[in-house]
Amino acid sequence: MTFVVTEACIKCKYTDCVDVCPTDAFREGPNCLVIDPDDCIDCTLCVAECPVEAIYADSDVPPDQQDFIPLNEELAKVWPTIVDKKPAPDDADEWGKVKDKRALLER
């Protein structure tokens, strides 16, 4: 099992989860984070840190978010590692409530 960042992270990009990750499994894209499944050790620490509840165990990813499992794996291969918390975008709270953001994902 590994953990997966889902659609709720798009344009929110809170990085609280990064600080608690013991294996530096998070990767940073222009407006979203992903988790490298090869580095994730299933510790669950990141789940509680995400203020928009964007992180799930791969076995618990909602049916409408299943495409984020291979997407995390794909993008983790090309996006750089992030190890330090950064300030969230000014409008992160607003974007955290928006649904159907897949088209806004910047690769």
Side-chain angles (χ1 to χ4, degrees):
M1 181 170 63
T2 187
F3 284 79
V4 177
V5 177
T6 59
E7 183 177 32
C9 186
I10 297 171
K11 293 192 73 79
C12 287
K13 201 168 131 180
Y14 287 101
T15 56
D16 305 63
C17 52
V18 173
D19 267 351
V20 299
C21 183
T23 62
D24 299 336
F26 282 88
R27 305 296 182 260
E28 181 182 25
N31 67 348
C32 186
L33 301 177
V34 295
I35 296 173
D36 186 332
D38 293 332
D39 289 343
C40 180
I41 60 169
D42 312 323
C43 69
T44 75
L45 294 173
C46 59
V47 176
E49 296 300 315
C50 182
V52 295
E53 300 177 355
I55 304 172
Y56 294 86
D58 61 359
S59 59
D60 295 331
V61 173
D64 67 332
Q65 302 286 302
Q66 290 286 313
D67 56 320
F68 280 86
I69 297 171
L71 187 63
N72 272 245
E73 186 173 6
E74 172 195 335
L75 296 175
K77 290 180 170 113
V78 293
W79 285 354
T81 302
I82 177 172
V83 295
D84 294 314
K85 181 179 175 178
K86 296 179 177 179
D90 292 338
D91 57 355
D93 286 336
E94 296 161 33
W95 279 109
K97 298 172 188 145
V98 174
K99 305 291 184 206
D100 301 319
K101 302 185 282 185
R102 279 178 178 80
L104 302 174
L105 177 66
E106 297 176 32
R107 293 172 176 246

